Amino acid sequence: METHFDIQLAKLKTRLFKMCSLVDEQVQFALRAIEEEDMSLAEMVVERDKKVDKYDVKIEKICQKLFALNQPVAMDLRLIMSAMTINTNLERIGDIAVNIAENFIRLRTKPAFLEKTKINQMSMIVKEMLRNAIDSFIQNDPKLAEKVIRSDDELDALNAENHKVLIEIMKEDKESIEPAVTFLVTSRELERIGDHATNIAEDVFFIVEAELIKHKYEKFLFSEVENVEKEIDEEIDEDEKRNGDVQKN
Amino acid sequence: MDIKISVKNLEAFYGKNKVLKNISIDIPRNKVVAIIGPSGCGKSTFLRCLNRMHEVVGGTITGSIQVDGEDLTKTDPVLLRKRLGMVFQKPNPFPTMSIFNNVAAGLRFNGVRNKKILTPIVERSLKQAALWDEVKDNLDDSGVNISGGQQQRLCIARTLAVDPEVILMDEPASALDPISTSKIEELIFELKKNYTIVIVTHNMQQAARVSDSTAFFYMGELIEYDKTTKIFTNPANKQTEDYVTGRFG
């Protein structure tokens, strides 16, 4: 039997799915604006951020109402908790898409040195990570979420490589300093989108598997140790004892 | 706002004892209004004032209660109770009557005897009360040979059979298990499409789940009346906040 609460939850999911596709488009358009040197597309990304913000507020209000009026538990509780954090991550990704677009609007053209950097490669990975993170949420698929989490290291490495390349470019040609700094920031922004996509993937684990893996997914995904949760709890307890943080009752 | 019931400066007494103090409240059409508050706050008395049952137990009132602009105190109580049906805390089917006759009781009391007229009304009422599928093959069984939750829905069907405009519910689920409670709550969502509902409940979570607006009563006074979302997320009054957060009452 579909209850009134089920209908409210479905509404929350629908809004969140719309937010997902809107933010996904914002990132795609911001990157395409650079690729195709399309100023009007970049301006459209900036303009559409208002819509992302409206969705952000709306979703937060729905979650607040669901918590206050329905006292959700179990799967429902995890879904609504995660909906709030996924919403925040999506809103931040939307802001980053705007930053990328605005930076490009200031430059107006794509510098020739861009081919020497890994920006294109990062863009491809970011787009795939974000799409997979969204799909893993829509399809409740922790395997796909795991793929997102595993991609993050590659993105971090490319960002570090970009730093080296762009600093060399600045050293060689003073005229390139301004555009190089812009793309240094863009590289960092792309790396941040990867982090937010990873956060969304972690939430998918929480919804489906009831496992809180954030900040410790290396242990969950790459370790053979069983009962990682317990091991981490013990580590925290030991740290607190060592630092005298635990209150003496 | 389309007002169904308008209460102005209502005061209710048992002898010289004033149990409701200067209550003014507008109840909108086709909405659910929940009345909450600690024991003895006057919430059930308020409900009984609405269909003049307060007078049956020797109480008196001052002030005005209007339904669709018509003064309740000048209306024949029998006709009034046909328009404002009531569902009580404990299911109270007539023990010597069949399920069919329980639903038809109000109509028979009003002079309808023809089974050709009664049968479709009984079926419609049981369907509206989400009980038809469970009892359609046992309509001649006694009204007390079904579960407590079914008995309460039978009482709701009995109330609906006389085609009321308003349904007053006094703790309709407090004697029921969680599954039956959930069925009654779902039923309330369905019924509000056609009826105006006022529900008194001890269960704050239930008030939060089912109502559009909530009134908080304390010691015979209306402390706060607002949208349910507002009452349960950001009440204006400190006493309301303390009550809904479980800090007093």
Side-chain angles (χ1 to χ4, degrees):
Chain A
M1 183 183 70
E2 193 179 48
T3 65
H4 180 75
F5 179 56
D6 291 329
I7 295 165
Q8 299 302 312
L9 271 187
K11 274 187 189 165
L12 169 66
K13 279 190 194 166
T14 306
R15 299 260 178 195
L16 207 50
F17 292 166
K18 281 186 183 163
M19 174 82 158
C20 284
S21 50
L22 182 62
V23 168
D24 184 35
E25 253 181 22
Q26 287 286 84
V27 172
Q28 302 271 353
F29 288 166
L31 296 174
R32 198 197 300 167
I34 300 174
E35 181 63 33
E36 296 173 4
E37 298 188 302
D38 185 339
M39 252 344 120
S40 60
L41 195 58
E43 280 158 5
M44 192 187 87
V45 170
V46 176
E47 181 58 29
R48 284 214 313 181
D49 192 48
K50 285 179 201 148
K51 199 172 171 186
V52 175
D53 290 347
K54 276 184 190 162
Y55 268 93
D56 172 39
V57 172
K58 181 75 192 167
I59 289 166
E60 198 160 313
K61 278 188 179 168
I62 297 174
C63 290
Q64 187 193 24
K65 196 171 159 186
L66 284 168
F67 274 124
L69 305 188
N70 296 280
Q71 307 82 43
V73 294
M75 175 82 168
D76 299 334
L77 173 69
R78 299 200 302 277
L79 175 67
I80 302 167
M81 281 173 71
S82 300
M84 289 189 82
T85 53
I86 289 172
N87 184 42
T88 304
N89 279 297
L90 288 169
E91 195 274 333
R92 287 294 304 130
I93 294 171
D95 285 347
I96 292 171
V98 170
N99 292 347
I100 292 172
E102 280 178 340
N103 286 341
F104 184 66
I105 290 168
R106 271 193 293 275
L107 280 183
R108 306 200 72 80
T109 52
K110 190 168 64 167
F113 64 70
L114 211 55
E115 284 180 9
K116 293 183 195 168
T117 70
K118 302 288 181 188
I119 293 284
N120 265 345
Q121 211 176 327
M122 282 186 88
S123 300
M124 303 285 278
I125 294 171
V126 158
K127 282 192 270 187
E128 196 190 345
M129 278 178 82
L130 182 58
R131 182 62 56 83
N132 284 343
I134 289 170
D135 285 349
S136 71
F137 169 57
I138 292 172
Q139 295 158 17
N140 272 343
D141 183 351
K143 285 272 173 232
L144 198 54
E146 188 179 327
K147 198 174 164 191
V148 176
I149 294 167
R150 286 180 191 275
S151 304
D152 198 37
D153 284 349
E154 194 181 348
L155 208 55
D156 292 349
L158 289 171
N159 181 39
E161 214 170 311
N162 272 340
H163 274 232
K164 283 181 199 159
V165 174
L166 287 164
I167 286 167
E168 282 309 311
I169 288 167
M170 285 188 264
K171 280 180 187 166
E172 283 166 17
D173 175 18
K174 282 189 178 174
E175 292 297 309
S176 296
I177 289 178
E178 196 187 337
V181 168
T182 300
F183 278 94
L184 208 58
V185 173
T186 300
S187 176
R188 167 78 183 137
E189 302 278 36
L190 289 171
E191 190 268 328
R192 288 297 298 148
I193 294 178
D195 290 343
H196 289 296
T198 303
N199 292 346
I200 293 171
E202 288 167 355
D203 274 317
V204 173
F205 263 89
F206 181 58
I207 297 170
V208 182
E209 311 277 2
E211 298 275 18
L212 265 177
I213 64 166
K214 60 179 166 184
H215 310 308
K216 56 194 181 190
Y217 56 78
E218 287 91 348
K219 288 200 169 185
F220 270 98
L221 300 184
F222 309 126
S223 153
E224 296 300 313
V225 180
E226 283 187 13
N227 206 349
V228 177
E229 193 93 42
K230 187 168 175 250
E231 190 193 278
I232 291 167
D233 282 346
E234 283 168 2
E235 275 175 27
I236 291 171
D237 287 346
E238 271 174 38
D239 280 354
E240 284 177 345
K241 267 185 207 162
R242 228 183 347 264
N243 299 328
D245 292 345
V246 182
Q247 281 187 343
K248 286 170 190 163
N249 293 321
Chain B
M1 194 165 51
D2 186 7
I3 304 299
K4 180 69 186 173
I5 304 173
S6 180
V7 177
K8 295 264 182 301
N9 311 114
L10 175 68
E11 305 218 310
F13 302 83
Y14 287 111
K16 285 183 180 169
N17 187 19
K18 195 192 280 187
V19 287
L20 285 179
K21 298 164 194 167
N22 202 24
I23 308 288
S24 293
I25 187 168
D26 284 334
I27 293 168
R29 192 184 308 277
N30 296 116
K31 298 283 179 195
V32 180
V33 172
I35 313 288
I36 59 168
S39 296
C41 71
K43 53 190 189 296
S44 289
T45 303
F46 174 75
L47 204 66
R48 283 199 290 266
C49 287
L50 296 183
N51 70 349
R52 295 186 59 182
M53 277 182 62
H54 178 62
E55 297 162 40
V56 175
V57 288
T60 54
I61 65 165
T62 61
S64 87
I65 305 172
Q66 294 189 335
V67 178
D68 288 331
E70 188 185 330
D71 189 349
L72 266 187
T73 53
K74 294 185 175 65
T75 311
D76 172 15
V78 177
L79 289 177
L80 176 72
R81 283 172 208 142
K82 192 166 167 271
R83 291 174 65 190
L84 285 85
M86 191 152 185
V87 178
F88 297 88
Q89 183 174 0
K90 279 192 183 163
N92 55 354
F94 302 123
T96 55
M97 286 188 193
S98 67
I99 291 170
F100 184 96
N101 287 337
N102 257 285
V103 181
L107 291 161
R108 286 207 167 107
F109 183 73
N110 284 294
V112 183
R113 306 268 172 212
N114 189 337
K115 205 159 182 187
K116 278 187 187 160
I117 298 172
L118 290 174
T119 303
I121 296 175
V122 168
E123 181 175 335
R124 185 208 70 204
S125 306
L126 286 167
K127 280 181 177 165
Q128 278 184 304
L131 188 60
W132 175 251
D133 289 339
E134 294 162 54
V135 299
K136 63 183 174 194
D137 300 325
N138 312 305
L139 292 176
D140 293 331
D141 284 5
S142 165
V144 289
N145 279 356
I146 50 180
S147 74
Q150 288 173 323
Q151 285 182 28
Q152 191 62 310
R153 280 180 282 145
L154 177 62
C155 294
I156 293 173
R158 188 175 64 195
T159 305
L160 297 175
V162 294
D163 208 13
E165 297 157 33
V166 177
I167 304 172
L168 308 174
M169 296 182 158
D170 192 357
E171 306 263 7
S174 65
L176 305 179
D177 64 85
I179 300 290
S180 302
T181 299
S182 154
K183 282 186 180 167
I184 297 284
E185 288 179 5
E186 285 306 312
L187 183 56
I188 291 171
F189 287 116
E190 279 304 307
L191 292 175
K192 79 167 177 183
K193 291 173 190 164
N194 300 312
Y195 306 94
T196 301
I197 298 172
V198 185
I199 177 171
V200 162
T201 177
H202 258 307
N203 181 334
M204 270 184 295
Q205 284 73 31
Q206 182 171 67
R209 285 192 295 265
V210 302
S211 67
D212 299 292
S213 300
T214 296
F216 171 56
F217 278 50
Y218 184 57
M219 293 177 74
E221 288 180 57
L222 174 61
I223 305 296
E224 190 169 351
Y225 176 50
D226 212 323
K227 296 258 186 276
T228 297
T229 312
K230 174 90 167 72
I231 294 283
F232 286 91
T233 55
N234 184 24
N237 189 286
K238 175 81 169 63
Q239 279 177 306
T240 315
E241 173 111 29
D242 287 347
Y243 184 69
V244 297
T245 54
R247 289 182 170 82
F248 97 101

